[in-house]
Amino acid sequence: MSVREDLRDALADERRVPRPPEPAAMVIFGASGDLTARKLVPALYDLAAARRLPMGFAVVGVSRTKMSHEQFRERLRGSLERHRPQNFSEEVWESFSRSLFYLPGDSRLPETYEELRDFLKRLDAERGTGGNRIFYLASSPSLFAPTVGRLGEAGLSREEDGSYVRLVVEKPFGRDLESARRLNADLLRHFREDQIYRIDHYLGKETVQNILALRFANGIFEPVWNQHYVDHVQITVAEDIGIEGRGAFYEEAGALRDIVQNHMMQLLCLTAMEPPVAFDAEPVRDEKVKVLSAVRPLPEERVEEVAVRGQYGRGWIWGEEVAGYREEEGVSPDSTTETYAALKLYIDNWRWAGVPFYVRTGKRLPKKVTEIAIRFKPTPHTPFARAAGAEPNVLVIRIQPEEGISLKIGAKIPGAGFEVGSVNMDLLYGTAFLEEVPEAYQRLLLDLMLGDATLFIRADEAEAAWSILDPVLRAWSEARDVPAYPAGSWGPEEAEELLRRDGRRWRRP
Amino acid sequence: MAEAVIGELRRAEGGGWMSVEEVERELARLRMGEDGQLGLRASVLNLVAVTGEETAPQVAEAVSRLAGEHPSRTVLLISDPEGPERMDVRLSAFCTPRGGGTQVCAEQITIHAEGPPARHLESIAGPLLIPDLPVFLFYTGSFSPGSPEFVPLARLADRLILDSSSWGGCGRAFAAAVGVLSREDLPPAGDLQWATLTPWRALISEMFAAPQLAGELAGIGEVEIHHAPDGECRALLLAGWLASSLGWRLEAASGPPPARELRFSGPPGEVRLRMQPATPAARLARVILRSADCEFCVSRSLEHPEARATVSRGGEVVGESVAYIGRFDMSAMLAEELRCRGRDEAYERALRAAAEVVA
């Protein structure tokens, strides 16, 4: 380390004044889209206001829409003011907005990249962005490969003079195993794996990271976190909303691609993984990949025994009648796209042998809730004659809406005799830690600038998740019927049957 | 910094002497809402605050506003060792509605201790602490680090927080804090005035983050710190932080306080640091660091919650950022300090350097 770095680090104080990221320019492809205005720029603005952005920082938006720098800024300002009127500071915006730039251009054409290269050089000189580059693919997935190819051809993926170049890819990472492999190969043709940051914003949520804290910062859970004590695990990601006008998108995606392949597989990994040796990118991601590799393959010809899909019809939610999926705008009247998916998975390793993991997700379910329920085995023998009310212990890790944990325990019911009933012990994290929780993108963008890939998806991780689901995708693409469930119910009858066959039932979250 | 959420204030009627058991029973009753539902008690720490009669209202207000940010059991001890023997206990709870119809309550026990009880505050605070949670002792006035009144109380705590600006002289406060740090039987210490420097230190540190500017740090030859007369302690701690972080050794200090002219020898050579008491635009108004080519400036005014950092080369601004810095009233300073657990080595180094300046 040089004397100058020593001195600079001397001013940092990890306890209270974490080291700011190095100067950088972030190029966002697809900058006229919703993600830039609603998520990326507000997250960057919050980082600026919280003194976490380097002084030498610039955003360059690229998309085909014709706009000036000023129009781009005005558009983003409008979005910020609309979405967070309480947290908007004129002074912070005035300074931050000077770091926002816009280049109209077609990301498929080489001239766009020549112009971009010159512009970035100018920013290095004028804004002190230091030669570091982040290329953020927020455009349509069909443009990912062409954009990366053009970046490579223009020499923009090369790291020179100690500077870094990073590439951010938004999900979906392909739409099946084959396309995921193709996409990874396209990315790796021009970038090294350690330059690529695949973003699943779910991992940026404090609540999701808290699963690791619960498991690995508390000694009492780990001894019972295995097949000796756990009967089964249920993971639920339920939404009460429908497809919110995104009919065309959802018709192509469906619940399996939209939620199960990414969010639910992440929850499965965090629940089932072994303790990583350190909370660093490679150890954490190695452990996640080990879980995915241990998931028992689902044979295509037996998919119906272990997987259920459904599609919501008309129904009632919170006192309001809502339309069925096929009545939604942009949805085919005879669509077979699933809005509900449930799977029974086994993780064939020493820890989890024989323990089923039931996962389910759906739209237009009775309420919005994300939780992981660990149901423990019953006691081997009860000495109490009247213990019928006591059920096995259940530890529920609730991720949203009210984050916390709940433990169901058996307790004596006051009075004569010895009657046992179940009691829930609840802890809401929010009641103990009342600090403002940063938005997922805020955390992830900062990690990205600091070069910490722990909360990003590695290529083999994305492919392993697709490997599990590919047989289901294939089987479902051939089936003509999709079971219906009324909006406001907990899914199709077939899903209930999936557990009933095992002598179990879904929890009511 | 966000305004603390106070929630609903519930006070127990009456006062006077109460046993520990009565205190616990009454606090549980206070957590009960009108609908008979028991509010959850959320506690992440114990806070014992010691103050005198004069400053009691200000301290009481500050600790009560913490309930929204650091749910805790607060024991506010208003002490008057010279008064006639008396102990008066008042109880209150700050209950905030949460999801699902639940209430979360933080508790405050206010005890006036006069005469002999005021000389044995540890005997009052000790039984009221929630087990297994860290204990912070906020001592608002002056104390002697070796006194028989202070030591037993400080030993209850995992961390001591003082406010050097309340001592009527930074020198005495710094000497006492150094005294605490040098005793192994006392907990690590912090200072509210240091807590206010966190955003300043972050902004100063950020200005040198760019590799092409990091080199300028080694060439800093002049520093100016503009502060209000009542901001001298935090200005001295900032000077101490710069000196201890960058390896500057104090050679001479001159000028009648609070205007001071300090001369350091640093790795690159001489560094002159001027502390300028200005009009009370803000307790800390501006910090300027100059190298041969560049000027690095962080400034704020009292009217705005933001601070501006600028880097200039040859008179031309080459870098600028504006960030939210917040307003530091006592509650906000305390909230910042309560985030810190264990020893704060940066503070300890800065304190020792600042203490050397005012020795």
Side-chain angles (χ1 to χ4, degrees):
Chain A
M1 191 180 280
S2 68
V3 175
R4 77 167 52 165
E5 282 168 335
D6 266 349
L7 275 176
R8 187 185 59 187
D9 289 350
L11 292 183
D13 165 13
E14 281 301 327
R15 180 182 281 264
R16 302 200 199 209
V17 183
R19 187 143 60 96
E22 283 186 25
M26 181 183 286
V27 180
I28 303 175
F29 292 97
S32 58
D34 211 32
L35 184 72
T36 307
R38 288 189 58 167
K39 295 289 180 191
L40 301 183
V41 168
L44 291 169
Y45 168 89
D46 286 341
L47 287 172
R51 313 179 296 274
R52 299 307 306 270
L53 272 193
M55 190 177 265
F57 180 75
V59 171
V60 183
V62 178
S63 71
R64 279 190 299 178
T65 312
K66 295 267 181 265
M67 254 190 294
S68 64
H69 299 313
E70 210 40 61
Q71 285 168 321
F72 182 55
R73 290 169 190 156
E74 276 310 304
R75 186 180 178 143
L76 297 174
R77 181 198 170 109
S79 172
L80 257 177
E81 282 182 311
R82 243 189 338 276
H83 290 110
R84 52 184 67 209
Q86 303 91 348
N87 291 343
F88 185 81
S89 154
E90 195 64 52
E91 281 76 10
V92 174
W93 171 256
E94 193 200 324
S95 157
F96 171 71
S97 64
R98 283 201 284 271
S99 64
L100 302 176
F101 302 91
Y102 184 78
L103 278 185
D106 187 332
S107 58
R108 290 166 300 191
L109 302 177
E111 48 267 36
T112 302
Y113 297 83
E114 282 163 30
E115 202 183 333
L116 178 63
R117 191 175 44 218
D118 294 344
F119 192 73
L120 290 173
K121 281 216 170 104
R122 232 177 73 203
L123 287 179
D124 286 341
E126 292 173 10
R127 302 278 315 172
T129 43
N132 294 319
R133 313 273 184 255
I134 295 165
F135 296 108
Y136 201 118
L137 305 184
S139 50
S140 154
S142 64
L143 292 172
F144 287 179
T147 306
V148 169
R150 292 292 182 209
L151 283 169
E153 287 162 15
L156 284 164
S157 58
R158 265 200 310 274
E159 295 177 324
E160 290 164 349
D161 304 328
S163 63
Y164 69 72
V165 177
R166 293 177 189 145
L167 178 75
V168 189
V169 187
E170 272 284 338
K171 79 174 181 81
F173 317 118
R175 50 175 286 108
D176 52 24
L177 179 59
E178 193 196 330
S179 58
R181 281 182 177 152
R182 216 169 34 235
L183 174 64
N184 282 335
D186 287 338
L187 303 181
L188 289 166
R189 205 163 292 135
H190 301 284
F191 289 84
R192 299 185 312 274
E193 176 60 29
D194 67 327
Q195 289 180 287
I196 302 170
Y197 290 70
R198 292 173 195 80
I199 206 165
D200 176 353
H201 74 274
Y202 221 59
L203 279 177
K205 288 178 184 280
E206 289 280 321
T207 50
V208 173
Q209 293 162 42
N210 227 337
I211 300 170
L212 293 179
L214 177 83
R215 288 196 54 202
F216 303 132
N218 296 287
I220 61 165
F221 298 117
E222 206 46 29
V224 295
W225 212 264
N226 55 51
Q227 44 91 13
H228 294 299
Y229 296 94
V230 175
D231 178 75
H232 72 279
V233 178
Q234 293 186 18
I235 303 178
T236 302
V237 177
E239 294 179 286
D240 54 354
I241 56 170
I243 51 171
E244 304 281 283
R246 298 188 307 153
F249 159 79
Y250 206 83
E251 279 285 88
E252 286 296 308
L256 207 65
R257 288 189 176 94
D258 190 36
I259 302 288
V260 179
Q261 190 275 338
N262 36 71
H263 302 337
M264 296 207 79
M265 287 295 138
Q266 289 301 322
L267 293 180
L268 177 79
C269 288
L270 299 179
T271 308
M273 68 195 261
E274 296 298 318
V277 290
F279 192 64
D280 289 330
E282 295 319 316
V284 169
R285 299 192 297 182
D286 286 346
E287 295 305 336
K288 289 199 300 186
V289 170
K290 280 189 210 164
V291 172
L292 295 171
S293 319
V295 172
R296 187 182 298 172
L298 308 172
E300 192 176 334
E301 63 282 5
R302 288 176 48 210
V303 158
E304 62 185 32
E305 292 170 29
V306 291
V308 172
R309 62 179 179 157
Q311 188 184 74
Y312 66 82
R314 186 165 276 276
W316 288 81
I317 290 185
W318 195 237
E320 190 188 340
E321 188 173 23
V322 297
Y325 177 70
R326 292 180 185 180
E327 300 167 76
E328 303 268 15
E329 197 186 324
V331 172
S332 159
D334 55 359
S335 168
T336 55
T337 302
E338 81 283 358
T339 61
Y340 176 98
L343 300 173
K344 178 166 108 173
L345 302 170
Y346 282 99
I347 299 170
D348 287 335
N349 63 16
W350 194 289
R351 184 191 284 263
W352 294 115
V355 178
F357 283 69
Y358 300 102
V359 304
R360 63 174 163 172
T361 183
K363 288 197 173 289
R364 288 292 190 212
L365 300 184
K367 65 180 185 183
K368 178 185 171 83
V369 61
T370 301
E371 64 165 41
I372 298 159
I374 319 286
R375 186 170 168 118
F376 292 91
K377 290 181 176 170
T379 52
H381 167 75
T382 175
F384 311 118
R386 300 175 67 192
E391 294 181 346
N393 301 115
V394 181
L395 176 70
V396 179
I397 304 171
R398 208 167 34 255
I399 291 162
Q400 58 182 5
E402 279 287 316
E403 188 200 9
I405 56 174
S406 169
L407 178 64
K408 183 157 90 172
I409 57 171
K412 181 183 176 301
I413 297 170
F418 215 105
E419 203 169 336
V420 177
S422 288
V423 185
N424 269 5
M425 277 182 10
D426 288 320
L427 166 68
L428 303 180
Y429 289 138
T431 61
F433 300 105
L434 306 177
E435 299 190 25
E436 210 167 303
V437 174
E439 284 282 321
Y441 272 99
Q442 198 178 324
R443 164 68 194 257
L444 293 173
L445 291 180
L446 185 60
D447 282 3
L448 162 70
M449 285 187 272
L450 291 167
D452 181 352
T454 310
L455 300 177
F456 294 83
I457 314 289
R458 210 167 56 187
D460 54 348
E461 201 178 336
E463 290 180 16
W466 280 120
S467 295
I468 296 166
L469 301 175
D470 239 26
V472 184
L473 285 170
R474 281 198 301 271
W476 285 359
S477 69
E478 283 159 20
R480 272 176 301 171
D481 291 327
V482 54
Y485 63 96
S489 72
W490 279 106
E493 174 55 27
E494 287 81 347
E496 298 298 329
E497 183 56 29
L498 179 71
L499 267 71
R500 206 179 293 133
R501 282 201 296 268
D502 296 345
R504 301 183 175 105
R505 57 190 161 85
W506 290 106
R507 279 170 45 79
R508 179 175 45 76
Chain B
M1 196 161 291
E3 188 77 6
V5 179
I6 297 179
E8 179 198 345
L9 170 63
R10 298 175 188 169
R11 283 186 206 280
E13 285 174 15
W17 188 89
M18 292 170 90
S19 69
V20 174
E21 291 74 21
E22 284 171 321
V23 168
E24 294 290 355
R25 206 177 306 131
E26 189 62 19
L27 284 172
R29 201 187 59 75
L30 276 182
R31 295 209 308 272
M32 188 91 75
E34 283 175 4
D35 55 359
Q37 204 181 12
L38 190 64
L40 299 168
R41 180 176 71 189
S43 308
V44 293
L45 54 92
N46 292 285
L47 172 62
V48 179
V50 179
T51 182
E53 283 291 351
E54 276 180 23
T55 47
Q58 188 198 359
V59 176
E61 151 82 9
V63 297
S64 66
R65 287 177 55 206
L66 286 173
E69 201 170 342
H70 294 280
S72 56
R73 170 170 284 189
T74 302
V75 182
L76 176 60
L77 298 167
I78 303 167
S79 151
D80 177 11
E82 307 310 320
E85 182 167 346
R86 188 173 81 99
M87 229 178 95
D88 178 78
V89 183
R90 309 264 163 177
L91 305 174
S92 51
F94 301 92
C95 296
T96 314
R98 295 276 141 188
T102 54
Q103 296 255 333
V104 180
C105 304
E107 303 159 332
Q108 185 173 316
I109 305 162
T110 306
I111 300 176
H112 282 77
E114 297 173 22
R119 288 190 280 275
H120 298 280
L121 294 177
E122 78 287 353
S123 72
I124 302 170
L128 296 173
L129 300 176
I130 299 177
D132 304 324
L133 289 177
V135 180
F136 288 76
L137 173 60
F138 175 38
Y139 213 104
T140 61
S142 58
F143 57 82
S144 164
S147 75
E149 288 84 18
F150 175 75
V151 171
L153 186 61
R155 279 186 185 152
L156 287 179
D158 297 291
R159 189 168 168 76
L160 166 70
I161 302 169
L162 60 96
D163 180 3
S164 54
S165 74
S166 68
W167 284 55
C170 311
R172 284 179 54 231
F174 292 167
V178 169
V180 169
L181 296 179
S182 59
R183 287 184 60 131
E184 284 188 4
D185 60 335
L186 295 184
D191 183 346
L192 293 193
Q193 299 309 307
W194 172 253
T196 65
L197 295 178
T198 302
W200 287 87
R201 294 194 296 131
L203 284 166
I204 292 170
S205 162
E206 180 199 305
M207 288 192 294
F208 297 96
Q212 68 271 26
L213 291 173
E216 299 295 325
L217 257 183
I220 297 296
E222 263 182 49
V223 179
E224 284 177 30
I225 301 177
H226 299 243
H227 61 89
D230 61 352
E232 194 197 8
C233 295
R234 66 181 71 171
L236 278 164
L237 286 170
L238 183 66
W241 170 66
L242 285 170
S244 59
S245 303
L246 299 175
W248 303 343
R249 220 176 35 252
L250 183 67
E251 297 293 343
S254 62
R260 293 175 193 273
E261 183 121 10
L262 311 176
R263 193 158 52 78
F264 295 93
S265 60
E270 187 178 81
V271 181
R272 287 187 175 276
L273 189 151
R274 270 181 302 160
M275 294 182 52
Q276 310 242 359
T279 51
R283 275 191 168 181
L284 198 56
R286 182 177 302 161
V287 180
I288 303 169
L289 294 95
R290 291 193 189 92
S291 64
D293 297 330
C294 296
E295 181 177 286
F296 301 84
C297 176
V298 181
S299 63
R300 74 163 303 179
S301 69
L302 205 54
E303 293 81 48
H304 296 288
E306 296 90 3
R308 182 175 300 273
T310 53
V311 181
S312 315
R313 181 175 273 139
E316 190 190 339
V317 175
V318 294
E320 185 199 30
S321 72
V322 174
Y324 189 78
I325 199 166
R327 291 195 170 83
F328 279 98
D329 56 17
M330 183 185 278
S331 185
M333 289 190 281
L334 201 47
E336 168 69 23
E337 205 48 40
L338 290 176
R339 285 176 218 285
C340 191
R341 308 281 160 104
R343 288 183 61 181
D344 182 347
E345 282 159 1
Y347 162 68
E348 293 181 11
R349 285 194 300 268
L351 170 72
R352 288 182 202 281
E356 199 186 342
V357 169
V358 290

